[in-house]
mmCIF file of all heavy atoms in Angstrom:
data_model
loop_
_atom_site.group_PDB
_atom_site.id
_atom_site.type_symbol
_atom_site.label_atom_id
_atom_site.label_comp_id
_atom_site.label_asym_id
_atom_site.label_seq_id
_atom_site.Cartn_x
_atom_site.Cartn_y
_atom_site.Cartn_z
ATOM 1 N N ALA A 974 83.897 90.335 92.986
ATOM 2 C CA ALA A 974 82.917 89.601 92.182
ATOM 3 C C ALA A 974 82.427 90.393 90.971
ATOM 4 O O ALA A 974 82.242 89.828 89.893
ATOM 5 C CB ALA A 974 81.732 89.184 93.052
ATOM 6 N N GLY A 975 82.225 91.699 91.128
ATOM 7 C CA GLY A 975 81.734 92.519 90.014
ATOM 8 C C GLY A 975 82.678 92.496 88.819
ATOM 9 O O GLY A 975 82.273 92.128 87.710
ATOM 10 N N PRO A 976 83.948 92.863 89.019
ATOM 11 C CA PRO A 976 84.885 92.828 87.900
ATOM 12 C C PRO A 976 85.102 91.421 87.334
ATOM 13 O O PRO A 976 85.226 91.249 86.121
ATOM 14 C CB PRO A 976 86.181 93.372 88.497
ATOM 15 C CG PRO A 976 85.747 94.215 89.644
ATOM 16 C CD PRO A 976 84.532 93.546 90.187
ATOM 17 N N LEU A 977 85.121 90.406 88.199
ATOM 18 C CA LEU A 977 85.295 89.032 87.700
ATOM 19 C C LEU A 977 84.101 88.597 86.861
ATOM 20 O O LEU A 977 84.260 87.892 85.861
ATOM 21 C CB LEU A 977 85.517 88.058 88.858
ATOM 22 C CG LEU A 977 86.872 88.150 89.539
ATOM 23 C CD1 LEU A 977 86.955 87.168 90.697
ATOM 24 C CD2 LEU A 977 88.007 87.916 88.555
ATOM 25 N N TYR A 978 82.903 89.025 87.246
ATOM 26 C CA TYR A 978 81.717 88.724 86.459
ATOM 27 C C TYR A 978 81.826 89.345 85.065
ATOM 28 O O TYR A 978 81.532 88.701 84.058
ATOM 29 C CB TYR A 978 80.470 89.241 87.182
ATOM 30 C CG TYR A 978 79.194 89.040 86.402
ATOM 31 C CD1 TYR A 978 78.620 87.782 86.305
ATOM 32 C CD2 TYR A 978 78.586 90.108 85.755
ATOM 33 C CE1 TYR A 978 77.456 87.588 85.579
ATOM 34 C CE2 TYR A 978 77.424 89.928 85.030
ATOM 35 C CZ TYR A 978 76.862 88.672 84.947
ATOM 36 O OH TYR A 978 75.721 88.490 84.217
ATOM 37 N N LYS A 979 82.281 90.606 85.008
ATOM 38 C CA LYS A 979 82.459 91.299 83.722
ATOM 39 C C LYS A 979 83.504 90.587 82.863
ATOM 40 O O LYS A 979 83.308 90.385 81.666
ATOM 41 C CB LYS A 979 82.865 92.758 83.978
ATOM 42 C CG LYS A 979 83.036 93.579 82.731
ATOM 43 C CD LYS A 979 81.722 93.787 82.036
ATOM 44 C CE LYS A 979 81.888 94.713 80.858
ATOM 45 N NZ LYS A 979 80.721 94.742 80.013
ATOM 46 N N ILE A 980 84.620 90.193 83.479
ATOM 47 C CA ILE A 980 85.668 89.474 82.751
ATOM 48 C C ILE A 980 85.128 88.149 82.219
ATOM 49 O O ILE A 980 85.391 87.779 81.076
ATOM 50 C CB ILE A 980 86.903 89.268 83.653
ATOM 51 C CG1 ILE A 980 87.618 90.608 83.872
ATOM 52 C CG2 ILE A 980 87.855 88.236 83.050
ATOM 53 C CD1 ILE A 980 88.716 90.564 84.914
ATOM 54 N N LYS A 981 84.329 87.444 83.018
ATOM 55 C CA LYS A 981 83.736 86.174 82.585
ATOM 56 C C LYS A 981 82.830 86.387 81.368
ATOM 57 O O LYS A 981 82.878 85.621 80.407
ATOM 58 C CB LYS A 981 82.946 85.561 83.738
ATOM 59 C CG LYS A 981 82.279 84.264 83.397
ATOM 60 C CD LYS A 981 81.478 83.745 84.583
ATOM 61 C CE LYS A 981 80.641 82.565 84.183
ATOM 62 N NZ LYS A 981 79.720 82.156 85.236
ATOM 63 N N GLN A 982 82.016 87.445 81.402
ATOM 64 C CA GLN A 982 81.136 87.749 80.269
ATOM 65 C C GLN A 982 81.957 88.026 79.005
ATOM 66 O O GLN A 982 81.635 87.527 77.926
ATOM 67 C CB GLN A 982 80.275 88.966 80.570
ATOM 68 C CG GLN A 982 79.129 88.707 81.491
ATOM 69 C CD GLN A 982 78.302 89.965 81.680
ATOM 70 O OE1 GLN A 982 78.833 91.051 81.891
ATOM 71 N NE2 GLN A 982 76.987 89.825 81.610
ATOM 72 N N ILE A 983 83.000 88.815 79.144
ATOM 73 C CA ILE A 983 83.822 89.182 77.990
ATOM 74 C C ILE A 983 84.538 87.963 77.431
ATOM 75 O O ILE A 983 84.614 87.780 76.216
ATOM 76 C CB ILE A 983 84.787 90.323 78.362
ATOM 77 C CG1 ILE A 983 83.971 91.611 78.503
ATOM 78 C CG2 ILE A 983 85.897 90.479 77.354
ATOM 79 C CD1 ILE A 983 84.732 92.789 79.028
ATOM 80 N N LEU A 984 85.049 87.099 78.295
ATOM 81 C CA LEU A 984 85.717 85.882 77.809
ATOM 82 C C LEU A 984 84.718 84.965 77.095
ATOM 83 O O LEU A 984 85.088 84.268 76.149
ATOM 84 C CB LEU A 984 86.408 85.153 78.955
ATOM 85 C CG LEU A 984 87.652 85.847 79.494
ATOM 86 C CD1 LEU A 984 88.217 85.089 80.685
ATOM 87 C CD2 LEU A 984 88.710 86.015 78.417
ATOM 88 N N GLY A 985 83.460 84.999 77.523
ATOM 89 C CA GLY A 985 82.418 84.259 76.808
ATOM 90 C C GLY A 985 82.228 84.795 75.395
ATOM 91 O O GLY A 985 82.050 84.030 74.443
ATOM 92 N N GLU A 986 82.289 86.110 75.254
ATOM 93 C CA GLU A 986 82.187 86.727 73.933
ATOM 94 C C GLU A 986 83.400 86.376 73.068
ATOM 95 O O GLU A 986 83.276 86.146 71.871
ATOM 96 C CB GLU A 986 82.034 88.249 74.046
ATOM 97 C CG GLU A 986 80.727 88.695 74.661
ATOM 98 C CD GLU A 986 79.522 88.215 73.883
ATOM 99 O OE1 GLU A 986 79.497 88.377 72.646
ATOM 100 O OE2 GLU A 986 78.599 87.664 74.514
ATOM 101 N N VAL A 987 84.572 86.335 73.675
ATOM 102 C CA VAL A 987 85.778 85.944 72.940
ATOM 103 C C VAL A 987 85.619 84.504 72.435
ATOM 104 O O VAL A 987 85.951 84.201 71.287
ATOM 105 C CB VAL A 987 87.045 86.071 73.817
ATOM 106 C CG1 VAL A 987 88.250 85.428 73.147
ATOM 107 C CG2 VAL A 987 87.344 87.533 74.106
ATOM 108 N N ALA A 988 85.086 83.641 73.279
ATOM 109 C CA ALA A 988 84.882 82.248 72.881
ATOM 110 C C ALA A 988 83.926 82.141 71.696
ATOM 111 O O ALA A 988 84.047 81.231 70.869
ATOM 112 C CB ALA A 988 84.350 81.434 74.061
ATOM 113 N N LYS A 989 83.003 83.099 71.589
ATOM 114 C CA LYS A 989 82.070 83.118 70.457
ATOM 115 C C LYS A 989 82.689 83.760 69.216
ATOM 116 O O LYS A 989 82.087 83.745 68.154
ATOM 117 C CB LYS A 989 80.799 83.875 70.833
ATOM 118 C CG LYS A 989 79.964 83.182 71.874
ATOM 119 C CD LYS A 989 78.783 84.062 72.264
ATOM 120 C CE LYS A 989 78.032 83.500 73.433
ATOM 121 N NZ LYS A 989 77.005 84.427 73.910
ATOM 122 N N GLY A 990 83.876 84.369 69.364
ATOM 123 C CA GLY A 990 84.560 84.937 68.208
ATOM 124 C C GLY A 990 84.621 86.454 68.175
ATOM 125 O O GLY A 990 85.156 87.024 67.227
ATOM 126 N N ASP A 991 84.083 87.128 69.190
ATOM 127 C CA ASP A 991 84.101 88.592 69.190
ATOM 128 C C ASP A 991 85.435 89.084 69.745
ATOM 129 O O ASP A 991 85.710 88.968 70.933
ATOM 130 C CB ASP A 991 82.953 89.129 70.035
ATOM 131 C CG ASP A 991 82.845 90.651 69.974
ATOM 132 O OD1 ASP A 991 83.632 91.277 69.236
ATOM 133 O OD2 ASP A 991 81.968 91.194 70.657
ATOM 134 N N LEU A 992 86.260 89.637 68.870
ATOM 135 C CA LEU A 992 87.575 90.123 69.276
ATOM 136 C C LEU A 992 87.655 91.643 69.204
ATOM 137 O O LEU A 992 88.736 92.208 69.208
ATOM 138 C CB LEU A 992 88.661 89.514 68.372
ATOM 139 C CG LEU A 992 88.719 87.995 68.331
ATOM 140 C CD1 LEU A 992 89.787 87.540 67.350
ATOM 141 C CD2 LEU A 992 88.958 87.421 69.700
ATOM 142 N N PHE A 993 86.513 92.284 69.155
ATOM 143 C CA PHE A 993 86.491 93.724 68.972
ATOM 144 C C PHE A 993 85.998 94.407 70.244
ATOM 145 O O PHE A 993 84.876 94.903 70.316
ATOM 146 C CB PHE A 993 85.597 94.078 67.784
ATOM 147 C CG PHE A 993 85.928 95.405 67.191
ATOM 148 C CD1 PHE A 993 87.114 95.598 66.523
ATOM 149 C CD2 PHE A 993 85.060 96.473 67.319
ATOM 150 C CE1 PHE A 993 87.436 96.828 65.976
ATOM 151 C CE2 PHE A 993 85.362 97.703 66.783
ATOM 152 C CZ PHE A 993 86.556 97.879 66.114
ATOM 153 N N PHE A 994 86.824 94.395 71.276
ATOM 154 C CA PHE A 994 86.473 95.024 72.535
ATOM 155 C C PHE A 994 87.734 95.245 73.362
ATOM 156 O O PHE A 994 88.796 94.731 73.043
ATOM 157 C CB PHE A 994 85.518 94.138 73.350
ATOM 158 C CG PHE A 994 86.209 92.933 73.897
ATOM 159 C CD1 PHE A 994 86.847 92.980 75.119
ATOM 160 C CD2 PHE A 994 86.269 91.771 73.172
ATOM 161 C CE1 PHE A 994 87.526 91.883 75.604
ATOM 162 C CE2 PHE A 994 86.943 90.674 73.653
ATOM 163 C CZ PHE A 994 87.569 90.739 74.874
ATOM 164 N N ASN A 995 87.588 95.982 74.441
ATOM 165 C CA ASN A 995 88.615 96.126 75.468
ATOM 166 C C ASN A 995 87.913 96.120 76.811
ATOM 167 O O ASN A 995 86.791 96.611 76.936
ATOM 168 C CB ASN A 995 89.412 97.427 75.312
ATOM 169 C CG ASN A 995 90.555 97.268 74.343
ATOM 170 O OD1 ASN A 995 91.254 96.267 74.360
ATOM 171 N ND2 ASN A 995 90.735 98.258 73.493
ATOM 172 N N ILE A 996 88.565 95.582 77.821
ATOM 173 C CA ILE A 996 88.034 95.613 79.176
ATOM 174 C C ILE A 996 88.507 96.914 79.817
ATOM 175 O O ILE A 996 89.695 97.213 79.789
ATOM 176 C CB ILE A 996 88.545 94.413 80.005
ATOM 177 C CG1 ILE A 996 88.144 93.092 79.359
ATOM 178 C CG2 ILE A 996 88.031 94.505 81.438
ATOM 179 C CD1 ILE A 996 88.751 91.881 80.025
ATOM 180 N N TYR A 997 87.574 97.654 80.357
ATOM 181 C CA TYR A 997 87.912 98.897 81.041
ATOM 182 C C TYR A 997 87.680 98.708 82.534
ATOM 183 O O TYR A 997 86.663 98.154 82.942
ATOM 184 C CB TYR A 997 87.060 100.055 80.517
ATOM 185 C CG TYR A 997 87.299 100.317 79.059
ATOM 186 C CD1 TYR A 997 86.416 99.854 78.091
ATOM 187 C CD2 TYR A 997 88.433 101.000 78.650
ATOM 188 C CE1 TYR A 997 86.656 100.075 76.747
ATOM 189 C CE2 TYR A 997 88.674 101.228 77.300
ATOM 190 C CZ TYR A 997 87.783 100.760 76.359
ATOM 191 O OH TYR A 997 88.028 100.979 75.036
ATOM 192 N N CYS A 998 88.629 99.170 83.334
ATOM 193 C CA CYS A 998 88.531 99.042 84.788
ATOM 194 C C CYS A 998 88.283 100.405 85.416
ATOM 195 O O CYS A 998 88.738 101.419 84.910
ATOM 196 C CB CYS A 998 89.824 98.460 85.363
ATOM 197 S SG CYS A 998 90.053 96.750 84.920
ATOM 198 N N ARG A 999 87.605 100.365 86.536
ATOM 199 C CA ARG A 999 87.429 101.583 87.320
ATOM 200 C C ARG A 999 88.707 101.853 88.094
ATOM 201 O O ARG A 999 89.473 100.942 88.383
ATOM 202 C CB ARG A 999 86.281 101.406 88.299
ATOM 203 C CG ARG A 999 84.961 101.204 87.616
ATOM 204 C CD ARG A 999 83.872 101.054 88.666
ATOM 205 N NE ARG A 999 82.633 100.694 88.005
ATOM 206 C CZ ARG A 999 81.756 99.850 88.494
ATOM 207 N NH1 ARG A 999 81.973 99.284 89.656
ATOM 208 N NH2 ARG A 999 80.667 99.570 87.840
ATOM 209 N N LYS A 1000 88.878 103.086 88.459
ATOM 210 C CA LYS A 1000 90.106 103.430 89.174
ATOM 211 C C LYS A 1000 90.144 102.772 90.552
ATOM 212 O O LYS A 1000 91.211 102.482 91.066
ATOM 213 C CB LYS A 1000 90.242 104.949 89.208
ATOM 214 C CG LYS A 1000 90.212 105.624 90.484
ATOM 215 C CD LYS A 1000 90.380 107.102 90.352
ATOM 216 C CE LYS A 1000 89.283 107.754 91.169
ATOM 217 N NZ LYS A 1000 89.391 109.141 91.315
ATOM 218 N N GLU A 1001 88.971 102.449 91.131
ATOM 219 C CA GLU A 1001 88.953 101.844 92.452
ATOM 220 C C GLU A 1001 89.085 100.315 92.429
ATOM 221 O O GLU A 1001 89.141 99.690 93.486
ATOM 222 C CB GLU A 1001 87.695 102.245 93.230
ATOM 223 C CG GLU A 1001 86.399 101.784 92.633
ATOM 224 C CD GLU A 1001 85.770 102.798 91.690
ATOM 225 O OE1 GLU A 1001 86.366 103.858 91.426
ATOM 226 O OE2 GLU A 1001 84.677 102.518 91.191
ATOM 227 N N ASN A 1002 89.154 99.717 91.229
ATOM 228 C CA ASN A 1002 89.348 98.263 91.152
ATOM 229 C C ASN A 1002 90.718 97.869 91.704
ATOM 230 O O ASN A 1002 91.678 98.632 91.619
ATOM 231 C CB ASN A 1002 89.235 97.756 89.712
ATOM 232 C CG ASN A 1002 87.805 97.710 89.213
ATOM 233 O OD1 ASN A 1002 87.521 98.187 88.138
ATOM 234 N ND2 ASN A 1002 86.902 97.137 89.972
ATOM 235 N N ASP A 1003 90.776 96.661 92.233
ATOM 236 C CA ASP A 1003 92.056 96.126 92.721
ATOM 237 C C ASP A 1003 93.074 96.101 91.584
ATOM 238 O O ASP A 1003 92.709 95.896 90.425
ATOM 239 C CB ASP A 1003 91.877 94.701 93.241
ATOM 240 C CG ASP A 1003 91.205 94.642 94.593
ATOM 241 O OD1 ASP A 1003 91.175 95.656 95.307
ATOM 242 O OD2 ASP A 1003 90.723 93.562 94.929
ATOM 243 N N GLN A 1004 94.325 96.264 91.929
ATOM 244 C CA GLN A 1004 95.393 96.246 90.924
ATOM 245 C C GLN A 1004 95.451 94.901 90.211
ATOM 246 O O GLN A 1004 95.754 94.833 89.028
ATOM 247 C CB GLN A 1004 96.747 96.582 91.568
ATOM 248 C CG GLN A 1004 97.862 96.768 90.575
ATOM 249 C CD GLN A 1004 97.586 97.870 89.554
ATOM 250 O OE1 GLN A 1004 97.099 98.939 89.899
ATOM 251 N NE2 GLN A 1004 97.886 97.616 88.292
ATOM 252 N N VAL A 1005 95.146 93.823 90.919
ATOM 253 C CA VAL A 1005 95.165 92.498 90.292
ATOM 254 C C VAL A 1005 94.127 92.424 89.181
ATOM 255 O O VAL A 1005 94.402 91.900 88.101
ATOM 256 C CB VAL A 1005 94.913 91.392 91.340
ATOM 257 C CG1 VAL A 1005 94.694 90.047 90.694
ATOM 258 C CG2 VAL A 1005 96.064 91.329 92.314
#
Side-chain angles (χ1 to χ4, degrees):
L977 288 178
Y978 177 75
K979 182 68 175 169
I980 289 171
K981 179 182 171 188
Q982 284 182 315
I983 288 173
L984 289 177
E986 293 301 312
V987 169
K989 292 175 188 173
D991 185 3
L992 303 177
F993 203 68
F994 71 88
N995 275 318
I996 301 173
Y997 298 101
C998 291
R999 296 181 187 142
K1000 116 179 131 172
E1001 63 268 4
N1002 285 131
D1003 284 342
Q1004 188 58 43
V1005 170

